[in-house]
Amino acid sequence: MSGKSQGPWAAVRRVAASDRISGLIMLGFALMGLVLANIPATAAWFEHLSHFELGIPGTNLTMGVGHWAQDGLLTIFFLVVGLELKQELTTGSLSNVRAAAVPMLCAVGGMIVPPILFVAVVALFSRYGAGDPGSLLIANGATFPFSEAAHGWAIPTATDIAFSLAVLALFAKALPGSIRAFLMTLATVDDLLAIILIAVFFSSLNAWYWFVGIAVCAVAWYFLVRMRKVPWFGVAVIGILSWVMMYEAGVHPTLAGVLVGLLTPARAMYGERDARAERYADKLQPFSALLALPIFAFFATGVHFDAITPMLLVSPIVIGIIVALVVGKPLGIMAVAWCSTHVGTLRMPKGLRVRDMFPAAVACGIGFTVSFLIASLAYANAELSAEARFGVLLASLLAAAVSGVLLSRQSKRFEARAAMVKGPEDTERGSGRTETTLADGTVVLSQSIGGRRKEPAHDDGTATAGKRTKRGRRTRR
């Protein structure tokens, strides 16, 4: 093995490629931000760091470090999302609409039901809760009108694909690849819908000429990344300019990453072995997984509460987000999956039933990255935004724990089923005799006579029910 493949950068790439490790790193940074923002010894320091202003000389772009992490650094993550989306739409799971129809529809269902449940919970608290009728009492004792609290309806719509796949990697080692593919397709469409939500509902559009600038940058990027020899300096300048144009236009600037990612070619060109979108996403993945996302999570959860008390657990905002993510996500996904396959004419991937998707559907309740972002955009009030982000953290941890238990049990069932169907075989050469031990300890014997296999039987001579395949083997139903 070459020294290059064993160097420190190769180790970094291996860590970034692991859903399990990168997910745990981001979770660690998120918890560290929450703790540092609320410990008396570090709260003031964290507040100063988060609001320490940095600016680009000669422009009016001046923001705090925490704001730069959200609007600037997170663009790397959205660029990777855009590149992966382009690859999936061109040659991946989303290129065959019929095959991807069920998970795509499930993603829509998983984004419709949670907002309904969130608004319903908030409405119940506003009517029957401790505050005045039509208002909500949150953990610090402040009251807010229902209309303002309901602005957070979009917070529980997004699924964090990195964390959900990390849960699968930890607890679902024996599950068929079709479940992971189903979840990846669903989460990819979920990301696309979340991007549309941010662009439509959380943008305040400014002067029209900024959009002309965005269009010019998009055209320039389109042609530059299709040149035989890509001018990387020019690409970097166009990428930065497109971010600035988005920011000035009033569109959330991280969407510049999605735009240029979708304009990158996803088929091999000029005899190259891999498509450029795939290659660029692979190179940017370490920066996204180990730099952009952990730092964003660190500042996103670093919200200061007047007092962290049990009252936070019964806050209308927190309960609404927990119900929406932990209950609403799997409910929407499973309802759409059942309707599309039992009422409609669509089919699940081969070998999967609708009920097999329930543990993975629960894992889709892990909101995290995009939910944190939407929480900061949905609420102008700092207390509401803080409680919303706290609710996202609790709901994501709860969804991860529940799905982990369910996936672990499901994985054991699939493992036992595989052992029953594909028991270890010991074939005696010459006699053509095959001895198969099933998972329950039953020994099944079969013998080939004249090139044909005789009816298998238990060791007591009882014939085994089964179905003959083309190769003459018996498989249990």
Side-chain angles (χ1 to χ4, degrees):
M1 186 176 290
S2 66
K4 183 178 179 181
S5 62
Q6 295 179 331
W9 180 242
V12 170
R13 288 172 65 90
R14 284 194 296 271
V15 170
S18 170
D19 297 321
R20 185 184 315 176
I21 299 175
S22 58
L24 291 175
I25 289 173
M26 187 162 72
L27 178 60
F29 271 78
L31 294 175
M32 183 168 59
L34 180 64
V35 170
L36 291 178
N38 290 279
I39 293 179
T42 58
W45 168 83
F46 188 91
E47 182 76 10
H48 176 73
L49 175 64
S50 180
H51 291 91
F52 182 79
E53 291 193 343
L54 296 174
I56 300 177
T59 70
N60 62 347
L61 290 175
T62 302
M63 297 183 288
V65 172
H67 202 175
W68 274 112
Q70 173 183 294
D71 286 1
L73 200 57
L74 198 61
T75 307
I76 300 174
F77 164 74
F78 277 96
L79 174 55
V80 174
V81 169
L83 292 168
E84 292 177 345
L85 271 175
K86 180 60 178 292
Q87 196 66 49
E88 292 296 324
L89 289 166
T90 306
T91 61
S93 59
L94 300 181
S95 60
N96 186 339
V97 176
R98 183 171 178 80
V102 175
M104 289 170 70
L105 290 174
C106 286
V108 176
M111 294 192 75
I112 291 175
V113 176
I116 295 174
L117 291 185
F118 175 81
V119 173
V121 170
V122 171
L124 287 174
F125 270 95
S126 69
R127 184 167 183 177
Y128 301 108
D132 296 330
S135 64
L136 291 95
L137 180 68
I138 65 173
N140 70 343
T143 59
F144 293 90
F146 166 76
S147 57
E148 185 174 356
H151 284 170
W153 62 269
I155 295 171
T157 55
T159 294
D160 191 296
I161 187 171
F163 266 105
S164 57
L165 291 178
V167 171
L168 253 70
L170 282 169
F171 300 104
K173 296 180 180 179
L175 291 184
S178 52
I179 290 182
R180 178 185 171 91
F182 190 99
L183 179 61
M184 287 190 67
T185 303
L186 189 153
T188 301
V189 177
D190 194 290
D191 279 346
L192 179 59
L193 295 176
I195 290 165
I196 295 172
L197 276 182
I198 293 172
V200 173
F201 294 101
F202 300 102
S203 299
S204 52
L205 305 184
N206 296 328
W208 61 270
Y209 47 81
W210 295 114
F211 292 93
V212 175
I214 293 173
V216 171
C217 289
V219 172
W221 179 281
Y222 179 88
F223 285 105
L224 286 176
V225 294
R226 280 167 173 75
M227 297 177 65
R228 180 178 291 273
K229 187 174 182 181
V230 178
W232 289 111
F233 179 77
V235 167
V237 170
I238 292 299
I240 294 172
L241 283 177
S242 64
W243 184 92
V244 173
M245 297 293 176
M246 285 277 192
Y247 181 86
E248 296 291 352
V251 181
H252 199 270
T254 55
L255 299 185
V258 180
L259 174 65
V260 297
L262 289 173
L263 293 173
T264 304
R267 298 186 187 277
M269 305 172 65
Y270 306 114
E272 296 169 343
R273 185 168 53 183
D274 301 316
R276 292 183 175 183
E278 182 180 357
R279 194 163 69 247
Y280 299 165
D282 185 59
K283 290 182 178 180
L284 288 170
Q285 178 63 23
F287 297 99
S288 173
L290 303 180
L291 178 67
L293 290 179
I295 293 177
F296 166 74
F298 178 73
F299 286 105
T301 58
V303 290
H304 178 73
F305 297 96
D306 295 334
I308 297 182
T309 66
M311 290 300 296
L312 274 172
L313 301 177
V314 294
S315 164
I317 302 297
V318 174
I319 292 179
I321 291 175
I322 291 176
V323 170
L325 282 174
V326 180
V327 178
K329 267 288 184 181
L331 178 61
I333 291 169
M334 297 302 293
V336 171
W338 189 90
C339 290
S340 60
T341 55
H342 288 73
V343 179
T345 59
L346 298 177
R347 295 289 180 267
M348 292 288 292
K350 188 176 181 180
L352 283 185
R353 297 164 296 182
V354 171
R355 64 185 180 185
D356 293 332
M357 293 311 305
F358 181 68
V362 176
C364 290
I366 304 173
F368 229 76
T369 309
V370 179
S371 291
F372 280 148
L373 176 60
I374 296 178
S376 66
L377 300 174
Y379 291 127
N381 182 274
E383 286 297 328
L384 285 177
S385 179
E387 290 202 7
R389 282 180 272 183
F390 183 74
V392 169
L393 181 60
L394 284 184
S396 298
L397 291 175
L398 183 58
V402 174
S403 63
V405 172
L406 295 177
L407 286 166
S408 180
R409 292 181 178 178
Q410 186 186 37
S411 181
K412 291 178 181 177
R413 287 197 299 271
F414 269 95
E415 195 171 12
R417 188 187 304 172
M420 183 176 293
V421 174
K422 301 178 181 179
E425 295 185 353
D426 179 23
T427 303
E428 297 181 12
R429 293 186 181 181
S431 66
R433 182 181 178 183
T434 301
E435 181 178 298
T436 304
T437 304
L438 301 183
D440 59 1
T442 303
V443 177
V444 180
L445 303 177
S446 60
Q447 186 170 359
S448 297
I449 299 177
R452 299 184 63 183
R453 189 175 297 279
K454 194 176 181 180
E455 187 74 22
H458 294 289
D459 52 359
D460 60 357
T462 306
T464 304
K467 180 180 179 181
R468 186 178 301 277
T469 63
K470 291 183 179 179
R471 292 188 297 176
R473 289 188 60 186
R474 287 276 182 175
T475 58
R476 291 176 62 87
R477 283 178 180 166

